[in-house]
Amino acid sequence: MEDKRVVEIEGLGKVTLNKPSVGISKEADWVNSRSFNEAIKNGVLPAAILEHKLRESGAWTKEDDKGVEDTQIYFSQLSERLRNEKDPDKRKVLTSEWIEKKNFLYELMLAKSTMMSHSAERKADEKRFEFLLLRCCLKEDGTPIWKSSEDAYVPDQKNLFIRVAEEYMMFINNLNLNAEDVIPGEAVVSTPPEPVNVAADATKQ
């Protein structure tokens, strides 16, 4: 995982996504543990039980798991080919495939994520992710974009929060959301898929 990534987000300008420090990671783990315990106390099912029910019903299968894994491997290989390809015509072809695979991978990840979104672990993970986003995603001047989730969830900030959440999710998973990050100097415009769960929850506030 890279230490940081700078992205351009309309309405915010340049945003720096930072790898969490040891101290921030420990705080995030504490947030995760506290949120998990609260979820269990409130009757939310643990992930193992929820996943068993999903597999028992056929909603998610071993074939689905393999599909995600195979697509992740191919996407990483494709990204590397893009970085190394010098021929403009070949890069255009690869870029088109890269965007298609990126969207497909994101949709696969979102499908499983959505199914597991009601587990106690996922509720805790979302709180942890939200904490990291607020602490590690900074404006160009080095200050936090939002001081709290309440600030991020106000009506005029929801869409910005979703965009930052998308970018940060891709960053911590060592993926690129934009092809220009893979091919320096060559901007490609594409429409991002649906946001990750923690961002989607912002629209419900």
Side-chain angles (χ1 to χ4, degrees), residues 127-156:
K127 289 297 183 181
R128 184 181 192 278
F129 176 78
E130 180 185 275
F131 174 83
L132 290 174
L133 186 153
L134 293 173
R135 294 291 300 275
C136 299
C137 299
L138 308 177
K139 293 186 290 187
E140 191 170 7
D141 62 5
T143 60
I145 303 171
W146 301 285
K147 294 181 178 180
S148 68
S149 57
E150 287 76 15
D151 292 337
Y153 290 160
V154 296
D156 66 342

Side-chain angles (χ1 to χ4, degrees), residues 61-101:
T61 66
K62 290 182 178 180
E63 287 74 21
D64 293 322
D65 286 330
K66 189 174 187 307
V68 172
E69 182 181 353
D70 289 348
T71 304
Q72 286 177 322
I73 292 172
Y74 184 76
F75 183 77
S76 295
Q77 293 171 342
L78 186 61
S79 296
E80 188 63 26
R81 287 168 62 193
L82 270 172
R83 292 189 186 96
N84 297 327
E85 183 57 62
K86 305 299 181 184
D87 183 271
D89 291 332
K90 291 182 179 179
R91 282 184 5 188
K92 287 181 180 179
V93 174
L94 287 173
T95 297
S96 178
E97 184 181 4
W98 186 92
I99 293 172
E100 180 183 344
K101 289 298 181 183

